[in-house]
Amino acid sequence: MKILVATEKPFAVEAVQGIGKIVKEAGHELFLLEKYTDKSQLLGAVADMDALIIRSDKVTAEVIAAAPQLKIVVRAGAGFDNVDLEAATARGIVVMNTPGQNSNAVAELAIGMMIYMARNGFTPGTGSEIHGKTLGIHAYGNVGRLVGRYGKALGMKVYAYDPFITDPAVFEADGVTQVGSVGELYARSRYISLHIPATEQTRGSIGYDLLTSMPEGGTLVNTARKEVIDEAGLAKALEERTDLKYATDIAAGNQQELDDRFGKRVFATAKKMGAETGEANINAGLAAASQIVEFFATGCTRFQVNNQGQ
């Protein structure tokens, strides 16, 4: 089988070497397309490929149409909204992600941004400590669990809400207090770490009402997706509540307005930084290669994210 690694942002050298070793030991061929600047390069490269590994690259319906032999796409990372799932499913192409491989990198970033905001962006003046403060985890998956663990290690009281985890024992085992609603989570938490995906149900769901219900000094840290934020509601909340703060690793559509109006009470990284560590880069790449090899060897679709009726 022919396997293409296509990345506008290149993998670490160690990741590429590891992917190559996994693929070749399984008897497949590896092809590499890095730092491409024109979509036509990707369209040409996928023409006779059986599998595709990507990072943030967009796999559109046009890309899928240009790859008649394509059987599987693996996004090296947790998010997969850069893949046209409908077009892939219509063609019978399996789409997977690599959950958990970037979790530690994202969790460390979330905690780091909490400290950064608590210390007023490391500018002169009195900040505060996060020790002893309340931390709410909105979505208790791989990243959320780690953020909760690190928060507890720093002396925070941790709450969590996840509508898809109904067993209280999951939270109890981690020493985390489960709450029954999103509203309760925000009302109790000085800091919120946001980890929900962007879906029809969640887009624009975090806005004025939730933010203004937070305790004094409330800080929202978003390492999820910008689409889940009601940006007009966020601006209104920040305007009315001068104690509120917002930090994100994916700039809002109105980020310049937020920066101009609210100064150091808002912060956005220059680009999405959650998975931008060498370790996460390597882990996700190796996981993607291993999943493709296993798929061709046994038909395993454990991390499939589109519905093939299987």
Side-chain angles (χ1 to χ4, degrees):
M1 298 292 180
K2 293 182 177 180
I3 300 171
L4 174 67
V5 176
T7 58
E8 292 176 301
K9 297 190 301 182
F11 277 109
V13 173
E14 295 89 342
V16 174
Q17 291 174 341
I19 291 170
K21 182 178 179 182
I22 291 169
V23 168
K24 291 172 183 176
E25 285 182 351
H28 305 303
E29 293 182 85
L30 181 69
F31 299 84
L32 187 63
L33 175 65
E34 283 191 309
K35 299 181 181 179
Y36 62 92
T37 57
D38 189 329
K39 186 172 67 173
S40 65
Q41 294 173 272
L42 178 59
L43 295 175
V46 298
D48 60 347
M49 294 295 151
D50 299 288
L52 176 60
I53 295 174
I54 58 165
R55 294 184 67 196
S56 58
D57 312 76
K58 293 187 180 300
V59 180
T60 62
E62 184 181 11
V63 173
I64 289 169
Q69 295 179 203
L70 194 63
K71 302 169 182 66
I72 179 171
V73 175
V74 179
R75 151 75 162 116
F80 47 86
D81 51 0
N82 52 323
V83 180
D84 188 326
L85 298 184
E86 184 176 350
T89 301
R91 272 275 312 280
I93 296 169
V94 171
V95 180
M96 296 184 188
N97 63 350
T98 59
Q101 303 302 322
N102 299 335
S103 297
N104 187 71
V106 178
E108 287 188 7
L109 178 65
I111 293 292
M113 287 201 289
M114 289 177 207
I115 295 172
Y116 182 80
M117 299 305 287
R119 295 299 183 94
N120 298 319
F122 301 143
T123 57
T126 303
S128 64
E129 300 173 12
I130 66 173
H131 181 277
K133 307 303 190 297
T134 50
L135 168 61
I137 311 296
H138 191 169
Y140 202 60
N142 292 317
V143 179
R145 285 188 175 93
L146 283 174
V147 173
R149 183 186 303 170
Y150 298 156
K152 283 178 61 64
L154 289 166
M156 305 182 83
K157 168 68 175 177
V158 181
Y159 300 97
Y161 173 73
D162 193 316
F164 300 104
I165 302 178
T166 57
D167 184 0
V170 173
F171 303 93
E172 293 168 3
D174 293 338
V176 170
T177 301
Q178 180 186 20
V179 300
S181 69
V182 173
E184 183 181 0
L185 183 74
Y186 280 70
R188 285 191 175 203
S189 304
R190 170 77 173 266
Y191 292 87
I192 292 284
S193 191
L194 184 59
H195 304 289
I196 60 176
T199 66
E200 288 185 14
Q201 292 73 34
T202 64
R203 286 187 177 90
S205 64
I206 310 301
Y208 176 83
D209 290 340
L210 287 176
L211 292 171
T212 54
S213 74
M214 293 180 72
E216 184 177 355
T219 299
L220 174 63
V221 173
N222 178 17
T223 55
R225 290 287 187 268
K226 74 174 183 178
E227 291 83 4
V228 303
I229 303 295
D230 171 4
E231 295 178 350
L234 169 64
K236 182 181 178 182
L238 289 167
E239 179 70 32
E240 293 186 11
R241 285 273 305 272
T242 58
D243 59 302
L244 292 178
K245 298 178 181 180
Y246 177 63
T248 178
D249 82 327
I250 177 88
N254 61 342
Q255 191 63 48
Q256 189 60 57
E257 174 199 348
L258 297 178
D259 290 340
D260 293 342
R261 291 175 64 185
F262 307 114
K264 63 185 179 182
R265 290 171 51 209
V266 297
F267 171 76
T269 56
K271 61 178 182 177
K272 190 158 182 60
M273 297 292 294
E276 293 297 319
T277 68
E279 294 89 343
N281 187 287
I282 294 167
N283 292 343
L286 298 185
S290 296
Q291 288 168 214
I292 286 175
V293 166
E294 184 65 17
F295 171 77
F296 286 131
T298 69
C300 177
T301 56
R302 179 183 175 193
F303 296 114
Q304 183 173 348
V305 295
N306 62 331
N307 184 4
Q308 299 286 323
Q310 297 175 2

